[in-house]
Amino acid sequence: MEKTEKIPLKKILLICSKASIEDVYAALVMGNGAVMEGIETKLFFTFFGLDAITKKTMNKLHTATTGNPGMRMPGGLPFPTMLGGLPGVEAGVSAMMRKQMDALDIPPVDEFLELITAGGGEIYACKLAMDMFKLTKEDLHDEVKAVITVGDLYEMCDGPGTQIVFT
Amino acid sequence: MSIKTIAGVDINVNDEGYMEDASQWTKEIAKEIAKEEGVELSDKHFEVIEFVRGKVAAGEGLTIRGIGKSGVVNAKEFYALFPGAPLKKATKISGVPKPTSCI
């Protein structure tokens, strides 16, 4: 039988390009989980994902209440799309979601970033998206290590046992 | 389940080396397990171990966030004390089950 060598995951790069609670937290939970396992971890935020590392927006993320077939009323009833479009509904639902996450000991975004960097994880912002949204490094949370190009990102992907995940 | 002799005592451990009976734990056993994990235990380590064992005894879940807010150590210090996979290492050395937390 052919002998296959298993290469454990040594390094992971997580790319987050969206600003919804579920997309950002998918990246944060996976990133923090990797740090907890002793895996070298880098998170790269681009496009709307920049909201997650921008001081002004990071702790006020929303989830979409329209165009989201997974959305339910409390109790599990379907959530009418028309209702989701009413003013304030998305903000209210999002606030409720953040509150429920807090109850499960899931930290707010800024604290989550601090937890990741405390364990040696690194946070990066995409230069091109920063230019597009007219953001500067000062707009970003202090835990962001650098604003980098896509070339810089690929340079970080060296070595066996490295994976890139796009959320 | 298997039996492993640690610090001269027969201990019940699972496949991953976690102790199955927290009451069998002693400081000597902790030092032995720590050595296997590449950690030299200091007084600060034992403060964390005490906190971890207390939390588990109280039936509460363990997270790095919780340990970082314990007042014993912050998250960064916790990572420094148990390098690599701190929650796994700290629980193993503390003689408590492997945590099931994702955060």
Side-chain angles (χ1 to χ4, degrees):
Chain A
M1 209 175 92
E2 201 183 328
K3 209 179 155 190
T4 50
E5 192 192 348
K6 282 188 181 174
I7 301 171
L9 182 59
K10 287 189 183 143
K11 182 169 16 176
I12 190 157
L13 280 92
L14 291 151
I15 301 168
C16 176
S17 68
K18 300 186 192 96
S20 69
I21 293 179
E22 60 270 30
D23 287 305
V24 168
Y25 272 87
L28 292 175
V29 171
M30 284 184 74
N32 185 58
V35 170
M36 282 168 67
E37 294 298 313
I39 297 163
E40 186 181 340
T41 308
K42 296 170 199 300
L43 279 98
F44 183 74
F45 290 89
T46 185
F47 267 85
F48 299 109
L50 285 175
D51 270 8
I53 52 171
T54 303
K55 282 183 229 167
K56 246 190 227 172
T57 49
M58 60 195 313
N59 287 336
K60 295 176 190 144
L61 298 179
H62 279 193
T63 191
T65 48
T66 56
N68 182 355
M71 187 54 60
R72 300 272 187 284
M73 296 285 232
L77 287 171
F79 193 97
T81 297
M82 292 284 279
L83 178 63
L86 295 176
V89 170
E90 187 179 283
V93 168
S94 301
M96 193 191 282
M97 203 178 205
R98 291 196 301 264
K99 204 173 146 192
Q100 284 175 353
M101 289 167 73
D102 188 53
L104 285 173
D105 209 23
I106 303 172
V109 176
D110 57 349
E111 197 191 322
F112 222 154
L113 293 178
E114 286 157 21
L115 211 51
I116 288 166
T117 56
E122 293 168 357
I123 319 277
Y124 295 97
C126 167
K127 185 177 181 305
L128 193 59
M130 293 276 290
D131 292 345
M132 263 180 61
F133 291 122
K134 299 194 169 41
L135 290 167
T136 64
K137 179 82 171 61
E138 284 64 48
D139 297 315
L140 304 179
H141 191 261
D142 294 341
E143 298 299 332
V144 177
K145 194 171 179 188
V147 178
I148 61 171
T149 64
V150 68
D152 298 330
L153 173 80
Y154 284 127
E155 276 176 26
M156 293 177 187
C157 302
D158 60 324
T162 301
Q163 295 287 339
I164 304 179
V165 176
F166 197 103
T167 72
Chain B
M1 193 180 99
S2 57
I3 292 183
K4 192 174 170 188
T5 309
I6 309 171
V9 191
D10 287 342
I11 303 294
N12 298 332
V13 294
N14 69 9
D15 299 341
E16 291 179 297
Y18 286 83
M19 286 175 61
E20 302 214 312
D21 181 359
S23 67
Q24 289 184 313
W25 183 89
T26 63
K27 282 195 171 185
E28 279 61 45
I29 291 170
K31 282 179 193 166
E32 280 292 312
I33 301 175
K35 211 178 278 171
E36 283 176 21
E37 294 291 325
V39 180
E40 187 78 36
L41 294 185
S42 65
D43 291 347
K44 198 75 195 167
H45 285 96
F46 277 110
E47 280 181 45
V48 176
I49 290 169
E50 202 177 310
F51 175 80
V52 167
R53 285 180 62 82
K55 273 272 180 195
V56 174
E60 288 173 46
L62 283 170
T63 60
I64 291 187
R65 184 193 193 197
I67 292 171
K69 284 184 166 180
S70 63
V72 182
V73 283
N74 62 33
K76 203 169 188 168
E77 290 163 347
F78 183 49
Y79 272 102
L81 286 174
F82 301 92
L87 204 53
K88 277 186 176 173
K89 277 188 188 176
T91 47
K92 199 174 199 177
I93 295 168
S94 302
V96 298
K98 184 176 166 182
T100 51
S101 164
C102 281
I103 45 170

